[in-house]
Amino acid sequence: AAFAEGEVGSVGDLPAADALALAAATPDARAIRYPGTTVTAVAFDLRSPKGPFADLRTRRALLAALDRETMIEDLLGGAGARADTLIPPSSWAYDAKSSPAVAYDRSAAVDDLKAAGWRRVQGAWIPPGAKKPLELTLLAPERTANPLTYEAARRVAASWTFLGLATTVQALPPAEFVEKLRAGDFSAAVIDVNMGLDPDPYPILASTQVREGGSNIAGYQNAALDAALVAARAPATITN
């Protein structure tokens, strides 16, 4: 408000959509984009090999059910990028060829769920081995603590519910939200991870970080990935 009234000459750290709207509405003002490296993502509890989200095809289906481009436009005023990998596009380590996109495609989502063993009964999805449809609670920080992530969670829940997976958002105060993540007391959660321009995904993906106090809150474990994460941390050899 002070900027719009000419009381201050600059303002920063605004939500992207608000900043762009303010620049457009204020004569002689311009928005300067300074890309961040925070990825907003859904983390699933993958500790059980027989859990509903253990199959890659299930997770890919739920990703394909999300219209992420529209979310970026609506929530960020277009000032964001779809995350096809944890490595931000602005980083030296980003490789588009190694990060194939999962397109928004509800038909493909349905096909993947069926291929993973899910059954659809009266429009609702029943996980493999279960007898009744899954009802999912999606954890998120409360709106006052993180309005962007909270709204992203609402969009995700709406998309999955439309697909046939009944999903409700449980918004929590920051301390309670973090405690549930650390304890593994969740099925799915919308989180923010600041990867940095020199990213090191080891803390959130390595099997050693599943133990209490580690940052691998999803509990994901993969021996081949562990080896790659360790190799990526090794000192580089500089040649002339």
Side-chain angles (χ1 to χ4, degrees):
F3 182 83
E5 293 297 325
E7 297 175 6
V8 296
S10 65
V11 62
D13 200 26
L14 295 175
D18 293 346
L20 294 172
L22 184 62
T26 308
D28 300 324
R30 64 190 179 103
I32 299 175
R33 184 176 179 183
Y34 186 79
T37 60
T38 298
V39 58
T40 300
V42 177
F44 295 102
D45 179 11
L46 303 177
R47 289 169 177 79
S48 171
K50 295 184 179 180
F53 308 111
D55 194 309
L56 171 62
R57 293 168 295 186
T58 296
R59 302 195 299 275
R60 187 173 59 202
L62 295 179
L63 182 58
L66 303 179
D67 186 355
R68 292 179 287 164
E69 299 294 351
T70 296
M71 291 173 66
I72 290 170
E73 188 63 37
D74 291 347
L75 304 183
L76 294 170
R82 186 188 64 225
D84 297 318
T85 172
L86 288 173
I87 308 300
S90 53
S91 170
W92 65 268
Y94 178 75
D95 180 4
K97 294 182 180 179
S98 299
S99 309
V102 175
Y104 170 51
D105 188 336
R106 284 202 178 101
S107 295
V110 169
D111 291 343
D112 266 338
L113 285 176
K114 290 180 178 179
W118 290 65
R119 295 178 292 120
R120 186 158 58 175
V121 178
Q122 296 181 344
W125 288 101
I126 301 176
K131 296 182 179 179
K132 61 181 181 180
L134 179 68
E135 295 182 358
L136 178 62
T137 298
L138 182 64
L139 295 191
E142 60 186 1
R143 184 196 296 270
T144 53
N146 192 329
L148 177 61
T149 305
Y150 169 80
E151 185 58 34
R154 289 185 66 249
R155 297 292 187 98
V156 169
S159 296
W160 288 352
T161 298
F162 186 79
L163 182 67
L165 177 61
T167 307
T168 58
V169 175
Q170 183 181 8
L172 300 172
E176 186 176 350
F177 179 65
V178 171
E179 182 57 34
K180 280 187 173 291
L181 295 180
R182 287 178 174 171
D185 185 16
F186 70 99
S187 296
V190 177
I191 62 172
D192 287 337
V193 181
N194 188 351
M195 296 304 299
L197 292 174
D198 189 13
D200 178 16
Y202 182 95
I204 60 174
L205 292 177
S207 298
T208 60
Q209 302 304 300
V210 174
R211 295 190 294 267
E212 185 175 354
S215 297
N216 186 348
I217 59 171
Y220 183 75
Q221 300 184 59
N222 183 298
L225 177 60
D226 286 342
L229 291 170
V230 171
R233 282 184 149 192
T237 299
I238 300 176
T239 58
N240 293 327

